[in-house]
Amino acid sequence: KEGVQFLLLQGKPINEPVAQHGPFVMNTQSEIRDAFMDYQRTQFGGWPWPKDDMVFPQDKGRFALIDGKETRPPSSTAESCSS
């Protein structure tokens, strides 16, 4: 039997225009173009993996690679996210 998870977010209106394309959300289409150019140029600080579509085993869990070293969230956080 599989459980269900959902995420509900809420926020106050900021009364600004919204432009969205793919994963980018900005105020104007010009800012969207700038974000795409930044991503294409730097990949937002670099992508440390040899391929763009890296897939890791599901049992690897959450981790980050910073300066060549893997870090993981505290076990209490990881367990609460998996239930």
Side-chain angles (χ1 to χ4, degrees), residues 37-59:
M37 287 189 295
D38 287 345
Y39 174 74
Q40 289 172 338
R41 189 178 70 251
T42 69
Q43 294 185 339
F44 296 134
W47 183 250
W49 316 113
K51 300 185 329 181
D52 285 342
D53 59 349
M54 287 299 297
V55 176
F56 296 95
Q58 188 172 9
D59 61 353

Short mmCIF file of all heavy atoms in Angstrom, two decimals, residues 37-59:
data_model
loop_
_atom_site.label_atom_id
_atom_site.label_comp_id
_atom_site.label_asym_id
_atom_site.label_seq_id
_atom_site.Cartn_x
_atom_site.Cartn_y
_atom_site.Cartn_z
N MET A 37 20.00 32.94 -20.34
CA MET A 37 21.39 33.20 -20.76
C MET A 37 22.36 32.90 -19.62
O MET A 37 23.42 32.31 -19.84
CB MET A 37 21.55 34.63 -21.28
CG MET A 37 20.91 34.82 -22.64
SD MET A 37 21.28 36.41 -23.42
CE MET A 37 20.49 37.56 -22.32
N ASP A 38 22.01 33.32 -18.38
CA ASP A 38 22.85 33.01 -17.23
C ASP A 38 23.00 31.51 -17.05
O ASP A 38 24.09 31.00 -16.80
CB ASP A 38 22.27 33.62 -15.95
CG ASP A 38 22.43 35.11 -15.86
OD1 ASP A 38 23.22 35.67 -16.65
OD2 ASP A 38 21.76 35.72 -15.01
N TYR A 39 21.89 30.79 -17.18
CA TYR A 39 21.92 29.34 -17.03
C TYR A 39 22.80 28.71 -18.11
O TYR A 39 23.63 27.84 -17.82
CB TYR A 39 20.52 28.74 -17.07
CG TYR A 39 20.57 27.24 -17.06
CD1 TYR A 39 20.87 26.55 -15.90
CD2 TYR A 39 20.37 26.52 -18.22
CE1 TYR A 39 20.96 25.18 -15.88
CE2 TYR A 39 20.45 25.13 -18.22
CZ TYR A 39 20.75 24.48 -17.05
OH TYR A 39 20.85 23.12 -17.04
N GLN A 40 22.62 29.13 -19.34
CA GLN A 40 23.41 28.56 -20.44
C GLN A 40 24.90 28.86 -20.26
O GLN A 40 25.74 28.03 -20.58
CB GLN A 40 22.91 29.08 -21.78
CG GLN A 40 21.55 28.52 -22.15
CD GLN A 40 20.96 29.17 -23.37
OE1 GLN A 40 21.32 30.29 -23.74
NE2 GLN A 40 20.02 28.48 -24.01
N ARG A 41 25.22 30.01 -19.74
CA ARG A 41 26.62 30.40 -19.56
C ARG A 41 27.26 29.73 -18.35
O ARG A 41 28.40 29.28 -18.40
CB ARG A 41 26.72 31.93 -19.44
CG ARG A 41 28.15 32.45 -19.47
CD ARG A 41 28.23 33.97 -19.40
NE ARG A 41 27.85 34.45 -18.08
CZ ARG A 41 26.71 35.11 -17.82
NH1 ARG A 41 25.86 35.40 -18.76
NH2 ARG A 41 26.43 35.50 -16.59
N THR A 42 26.55 29.65 -17.23
CA THR A 42 27.17 29.19 -15.97
C THR A 42 26.54 27.95 -15.36
O THR A 42 27.09 27.39 -14.42
CB THR A 42 27.10 30.29 -14.90
OG1 THR A 42 25.72 30.45 -14.50
CG2 THR A 42 27.66 31.61 -15.39
N GLN A 43 25.37 27.55 -15.85
CA GLN A 43 24.59 26.48 -15.22
C GLN A 43 24.41 26.76 -13.72
O GLN A 43 24.44 25.88 -12.89
CB GLN A 43 25.21 25.12 -15.46
CG GLN A 43 25.18 24.72 -16.91
CD GLN A 43 25.69 23.33 -17.13
OE1 GLN A 43 26.41 22.77 -16.31
NE2 GLN A 43 25.31 22.74 -18.24
N PHE A 44 24.22 28.05 -13.41
CA PHE A 44 24.02 28.52 -12.03
C PHE A 44 25.09 28.01 -11.08
O PHE A 44 24.83 27.44 -10.04
CB PHE A 44 22.63 28.16 -11.52
CG PHE A 44 21.52 28.82 -12.27
CD1 PHE A 44 20.42 28.10 -12.68
CD2 PHE A 44 21.56 30.16 -12.57
CE1 PHE A 44 19.40 28.71 -13.38
CE2 PHE A 44 20.55 30.78 -13.27
CZ PHE A 44 19.46 30.05 -13.67
N GLY A 45 26.34 28.22 -11.47
CA GLY A 45 27.44 27.84 -10.60
C GLY A 45 28.12 26.55 -10.98
O GLY A 45 29.09 26.15 -10.37
N GLY A 46 27.62 25.88 -11.97
CA GLY A 46 28.26 24.65 -12.44
C GLY A 46 27.47 23.41 -12.08
O GLY A 46 26.72 23.38 -11.11
N TRP A 47 27.62 22.42 -12.92
CA TRP A 47 26.97 21.13 -12.73
C TRP A 47 28.09 20.12 -12.52
O TRP A 47 28.88 19.89 -13.42
CB TRP A 47 26.15 20.80 -13.98
CG TRP A 47 25.37 19.55 -13.94
CD1 TRP A 47 25.62 18.42 -14.66
CD2 TRP A 47 24.21 19.27 -13.16
NE1 TRP A 47 24.70 17.46 -14.39
CE2 TRP A 47 23.82 17.96 -13.45
CE3 TRP A 47 23.48 19.99 -12.22
CZ2 TRP A 47 22.70 17.35 -12.86
CZ3 TRP A 47 22.38 19.39 -11.63
CH2 TRP A 47 22.01 18.09 -11.96
N PRO A 48 28.20 19.52 -11.33
CA PRO A 48 29.36 18.70 -11.02
C PRO A 48 29.33 17.28 -11.62
O PRO A 48 30.23 16.51 -11.37
CB PRO A 48 29.34 18.64 -9.49
CG PRO A 48 27.90 18.76 -9.14
CD PRO A 48 27.32 19.68 -10.18
N TRP A 49 28.29 16.95 -12.38
CA TRP A 49 28.15 15.59 -12.88
C TRP A 49 28.60 15.50 -14.34
O TRP A 49 28.53 16.48 -15.07
CB TRP A 49 26.70 15.13 -12.75
CG TRP A 49 26.10 15.51 -11.42
CD1 TRP A 49 25.11 16.39 -11.21
CD2 TRP A 49 26.48 15.04 -10.13
NE1 TRP A 49 24.84 16.51 -9.87
CE2 TRP A 49 25.67 15.68 -9.18
CE3 TRP A 49 27.44 14.14 -9.68
CZ2 TRP A 49 25.78 15.46 -7.83
CZ3 TRP A 49 27.54 13.91 -8.32
CH2 TRP A 49 26.72 14.57 -7.41
N PRO A 50 29.02 14.33 -14.78
CA PRO A 50 29.52 14.18 -16.15
C PRO A 50 28.44 14.25 -17.23
O PRO A 50 28.75 14.44 -18.39
CB PRO A 50 30.20 12.81 -16.14
CG PRO A 50 29.57 12.06 -15.03
CD PRO A 50 29.18 13.10 -14.00
N LYS A 51 27.17 14.09 -16.85
CA LYS A 51 26.07 14.16 -17.82
C LYS A 51 25.00 15.12 -17.30
O LYS A 51 24.86 15.31 -16.10
CB LYS A 51 25.41 12.78 -18.00
CG LYS A 51 26.35 11.71 -18.51
CD LYS A 51 25.68 10.37 -18.80
CE LYS A 51 24.50 10.02 -17.95
NZ LYS A 51 23.89 8.74 -18.20
N ASP A 52 24.22 15.70 -18.24
CA ASP A 52 23.14 16.60 -17.84
C ASP A 52 21.96 15.85 -17.21
O ASP A 52 21.18 16.43 -16.47
CB ASP A 52 22.62 17.38 -19.04
CG ASP A 52 23.57 18.48 -19.46
OD1 ASP A 52 24.44 18.86 -18.66
OD2 ASP A 52 23.44 18.96 -20.60
N ASP A 53 21.81 14.58 -17.53
CA ASP A 53 20.64 13.82 -17.06
C ASP A 53 21.03 12.73 -16.07
O ASP A 53 20.58 11.60 -16.16
CB ASP A 53 19.88 13.23 -18.24
CG ASP A 53 20.75 12.29 -19.09
OD1 ASP A 53 21.98 12.28 -18.88
OD2 ASP A 53 20.20 11.57 -19.93
N MET A 54 21.86 13.08 -15.11
CA MET A 54 22.31 12.10 -14.12
C MET A 54 21.13 11.56 -13.32
O MET A 54 20.25 12.31 -12.90
CB MET A 54 23.32 12.73 -13.15
CG MET A 54 24.68 12.98 -13.75
SD MET A 54 25.52 11.51 -14.33
CE MET A 54 25.71 10.59 -12.84
N VAL A 55 21.13 10.25 -13.12
CA VAL A 55 20.12 9.59 -12.30
C VAL A 55 20.86 8.73 -11.28
O VAL A 55 21.74 7.96 -11.64
CB VAL A 55 19.19 8.70 -13.16
CG1 VAL A 55 18.20 7.96 -12.28
CG2 VAL A 55 18.47 9.54 -14.20
N PHE A 56 20.50 8.89 -10.03
CA PHE A 56 21.15 8.14 -8.96
C PHE A 56 20.18 7.10 -8.43
O PHE A 56 18.96 7.27 -8.52
CB PHE A 56 21.58 9.09 -7.83
CG PHE A 56 22.62 10.06 -8.28
CD1 PHE A 56 22.27 11.32 -8.72
CD2 PHE A 56 23.96 9.70 -8.31
CE1 PHE A 56 23.23 12.22 -9.16
CE2 PHE A 56 24.92 10.59 -8.74
CZ PHE A 56 24.56 11.84 -9.17
N PRO A 57 20.69 6.03 -7.83
CA PRO A 57 19.81 5.01 -7.27
C PRO A 57 18.85 5.63 -6.24
O PRO A 57 19.25 6.51 -5.48
CB PRO A 57 20.75 4.01 -6.60
CG PRO A 57 22.10 4.27 -7.20
CD PRO A 57 22.11 5.70 -7.62
N GLN A 58 17.62 5.15 -6.23
CA GLN A 58 16.62 5.71 -5.32
C GLN A 58 17.04 5.54 -3.86
O GLN A 58 16.76 6.41 -3.04
CB GLN A 58 15.27 5.04 -5.56
CG GLN A 58 14.14 5.70 -4.80
CD GLN A 58 12.78 5.14 -5.19
OE1 GLN A 58 12.69 4.16 -5.90
NE2 GLN A 58 11.74 5.78 -4.73
N ASP A 59 17.74 4.45 -3.54
CA ASP A 59 18.14 4.23 -2.15
C ASP A 59 19.34 5.10 -1.73
O ASP A 59 19.73 5.08 -0.58
CB ASP A 59 18.43 2.76 -1.89
CG ASP A 59 19.59 2.22 -2.74
OD1 ASP A 59 20.09 2.95 -3.63
OD2 ASP A 59 19.98 1.05 -2.52
#
